[in-house]
């Protein structure tokens, strides 16, 4: 298939582009490099020996995007592009609603003007909000996220579902990711956060290379065995393979409409378990202090991944130790990320 990947230079996008190329697909990328660098795609090309056509473009440049679709002949789109920092979205809600919704609407109008009707969307476990029981199941409603970023995911899922209901030519996959971590086992591509990382594992690996002084553990008084929060960490390569499985399923299932799948492992690990796994993988002791809880954090978040297994034939297979070993290979070989 010929696939257009939006946000393909980013963390999850670059690993997915690599997996698509390795499985024989043709890939083009649209990215404005707001949170990434073309270097990730250059490295994907080196690793795979295949080339990727890179369009530097903001998805909101609708005329250019429409022209791209008119010429492109894409069989499907994977839509990663968007802003993703939860805390920033609370401070700048209009930036988040504006960017994520306008980009997606521009993309969907450009697709509508072309013949492309298959799209896989990067949704998030954040759509389950703070009331859903764990493990999360896809049938849970109502979807109400606790921050503007998460609400953009809820809204875009709704837009895509309505679009699929309007015309049965549309095939829509809504992939609800849990906590993507790790890197390609080569250590050549990985997560490259700008500024202070918001997420746990890039913070840990930056402490390990001396870019940060210590990790602050956000609360050790949760109702869990060691008192720290539990999450469903998933290796980014398992996640990348989940996208290919979803695309294959959509291609084989005319009339599917819109369908959601959780992409997680079905198990959870605590903050301290993640730190311990990283220390085992790297041999570096992570200096840490316990701080107060972070507002909005859940005690437990983890998936029921059984729908993805039965319908997509996909299951996460990589362990937490592999996630941390691959993260360490990336961080130790690229202490300052793609900026070198
Ligand atoms: P990322 O920031 O590394 O990648 C997003 C990419 O989109 C970047 O390359 C960025 O430059 C590009 N982009 C942003 N706005 C754009 C625009 N208007 N036009 C063109 N390009 C634009 O993020 P990621 O971690 O790879 O996440 C990818 C997707 O997965 C996002 O939609 C995110 O919300 C979702 N997601 C991420 C996580 C996570 O923890 N990383 C979890 C659940 C869902
Ligand atoms: C994981 C655990 C923290 C940093 C976020 C988004 C979610 C999704 C994935 C996109 C929690 C603890 C963290 C630190 C810590 N993204 N922690 N010290 O919050 O589960 O999910 O990213 O859709 O929507 O909310 O991930 O990596 O920030 O935190 O103790 O410096 O690590 O409290 O228990 P989270 P995270």
């Amino acid at each position: 298939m010929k696939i257009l990947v939006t946000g393909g230079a980013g963390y999850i996008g670059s690993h997915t582009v690599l997996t698509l190329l390795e499985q024989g697909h043709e890939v083009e990328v649209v990215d404005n490099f707001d949170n990434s660098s073309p270097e990730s795609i250059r490295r994907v090309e080196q690793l795979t020996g295949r080339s990727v056509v890179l369009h530097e473009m903001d998805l909101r440049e609708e005329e250019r995007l429409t022209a791209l679709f008119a010429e492109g002949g894409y069989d499907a789109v994977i839509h990663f592009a968007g802003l993703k920092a939860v805390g920033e979205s609370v401070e700048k809600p209009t930036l988040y609603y504006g960017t994520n919704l306008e980009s997606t609407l521009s993309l969907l109008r450009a697709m509508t003007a072309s013949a492309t009707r298959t799209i896989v969307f990067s949704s998030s476990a954040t759509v389950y909000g703070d009331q859903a029981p764990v493990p999360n199941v896809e049938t849970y409603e109502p979807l109400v996220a606790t921050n503007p970023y998460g609400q953009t995911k809820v809204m875009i899922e709704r837009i895509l579902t309505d679009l699929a209901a309007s015309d049965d030519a549309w095939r829509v996959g809504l992939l609800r990711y849990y906590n993507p971590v790790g890197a390609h086992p080569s250590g050549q591509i990985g997560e490259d956060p700008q500024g202070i990382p918001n997420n746990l594992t890039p913070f840990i690996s930056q402490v390990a290379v001396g870019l940060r002084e210590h990790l602050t553990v956000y609360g050790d008084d949760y109702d869990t065995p060691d008192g720290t929060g539990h999450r469903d960490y998933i290796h980014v390569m398992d996640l990348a393979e989940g996208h290919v499985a979803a695309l294959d399923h959509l291609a084989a299932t005319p009339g599917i409409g819109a369908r959601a799948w959780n992409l997680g492992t079905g198990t959870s690990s605590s903050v301290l378990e993640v730190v311990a796994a990283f220390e085992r993988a790297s041999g570096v002791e992570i200096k840490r202090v316990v701080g107060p809880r972070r507002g909005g954090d859940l005690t437990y978040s983890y998936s029921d991944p059984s729908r993805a297994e039965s319908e997509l034939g996909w299951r996460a297979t990589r362990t937490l130790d592999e996630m941390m070993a691959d993260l360490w290979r990336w961080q130790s070989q690229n202490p300052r990320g793609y900026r070198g």
Side-chain angles (χ1 to χ4, degrees):
M1 284 191 274
K2 184 173 181 184
I3 317 289
L4 185 72
V5 180
T6 78
Y11 171 44
I12 306 169
S14 55
H15 292 79
T16 304
V17 169
L18 181 143
T19 303
L20 287 165
L21 292 170
E22 282 182 339
Q23 302 210 7
H25 298 288
E26 198 182 327
V27 181
E28 296 191 9
V29 165
V30 171
D31 204 302
N32 65 359
F33 306 120
D34 177 70
N35 195 38
S36 58
S37 128
E39 176 65 13
S40 63
I41 296 297
R42 206 186 59 77
R43 294 193 185 182
V44 166
E45 291 182 322
Q46 274 177 352
L47 286 165
T48 58
R50 303 266 320 273
S51 62
V52 175
V53 179
L54 193 50
H55 305 277
E56 181 169 359
M57 194 189 300
D58 190 300
L59 284 181
R60 291 167 291 185
E61 293 176 69
E62 192 168 334
E63 263 181 45
R64 284 183 70 195
L65 193 65
T66 304
L68 191 65
F69 271 95
E71 306 256 296
Y74 305 114
D75 297 297
V77 170
I78 305 182
H79 178 33
F80 292 105
L83 302 179
K84 63 160 185 178
V86 172
E88 187 183 45
S89 82
V90 175
E91 286 159 24
K92 300 176 183 167
T94 53
L95 176 69
Y96 271 67
Y97 286 114
T99 308
N100 289 358
L101 293 173
E102 285 163 15
S103 300
T104 303
L105 289 169
S106 169
L107 172 67
L108 296 178
R109 284 190 294 261
M111 288 179 72
T112 303
S114 78
T116 310
R117 291 288 179 278
T118 299
I119 181 167
V120 169
F121 173 59
S122 296
S123 189
S124 167
T126 194
V127 300
Y128 291 114
D130 56 4
Q131 299 298 312
V134 285
N136 302 139
V137 290
E138 291 88 345
T139 47
Y140 177 81
E141 285 192 51
L143 300 178
V144 186
T146 58
N147 56 74
Y149 161 72
Q151 278 301 102
T152 70
K153 296 296 184 193
V154 173
M155 290 175 182
I156 293 168
E157 284 204 8
R158 167 53 53 193
I159 291 167
L160 287 166
T161 303
D162 289 345
L163 187 61
S166 74
D167 175 354
D168 63 15
W170 283 94
R171 306 184 199 193
V172 174
L174 307 171
L175 301 185
R176 296 179 181 160
Y177 314 155
Y178 283 74
N179 289 62
V181 300
H184 187 262
S186 64
Q188 287 295 300
I189 57 170
E191 186 170 10
D192 183 21
Q194 322 280 305
I196 302 171
N198 299 303
N199 295 112
L200 176 65
T201 63
F203 206 105
I204 293 174
S205 60
Q206 290 197 2
V207 172
V209 294
L211 289 174
R212 311 272 157 215
E213 219 259 314
H214 64 263
L215 172 73
T216 302
V217 176
Y218 294 143
D220 67 352
D221 57 352
Y222 285 98
D223 186 14
T224 62
D226 66 18
T228 64
H230 269 243
R231 297 290 180 274
D232 187 342
Y233 297 95
I234 174 171
H235 196 297
V236 67
M237 292 306 298
D238 277 326
L239 192 62
E241 290 164 9
H243 289 74
V244 182
L247 272 182
D248 288 345
H249 183 74
L250 293 176
T253 318
I256 186 171
R259 188 84 174 147
W261 292 285
N262 289 339
L263 296 186
T265 64
T267 58
S268 66
S269 307
S270 73
V271 175
L272 297 181
E273 286 167 346
V274 172
V275 172
F278 185 88
E279 289 178 331
R280 278 196 299 279
S282 64
V284 180
E285 195 184 327
I286 300 302
K287 204 169 150 195
R288 55 188 177 262
V289 299
V290 176
R293 291 182 179 196
R294 182 173 64 178
D297 272 352
L298 303 177
T299 305
Y300 279 98
S301 164
Y302 60 97
S303 63
D304 175 345
S306 55
R307 182 190 278 187
E309 180 159 8
S310 64
E311 296 181 4
L312 307 181
W314 169 92
R315 179 166 74 78
T317 58
R318 295 164 176 90
T319 63
L320 184 63
D321 284 331
E322 286 173 87
M323 300 176 210
M324 294 303 114
D326 292 336
L327 167 62
W328 177 237
R329 203 169 297 109
W330 155 251
Q331 184 77 63
S332 56
Q333 291 177 17
N334 306 271
R336 292 179 186 276
Y338 294 116
R339 282 146 294 178

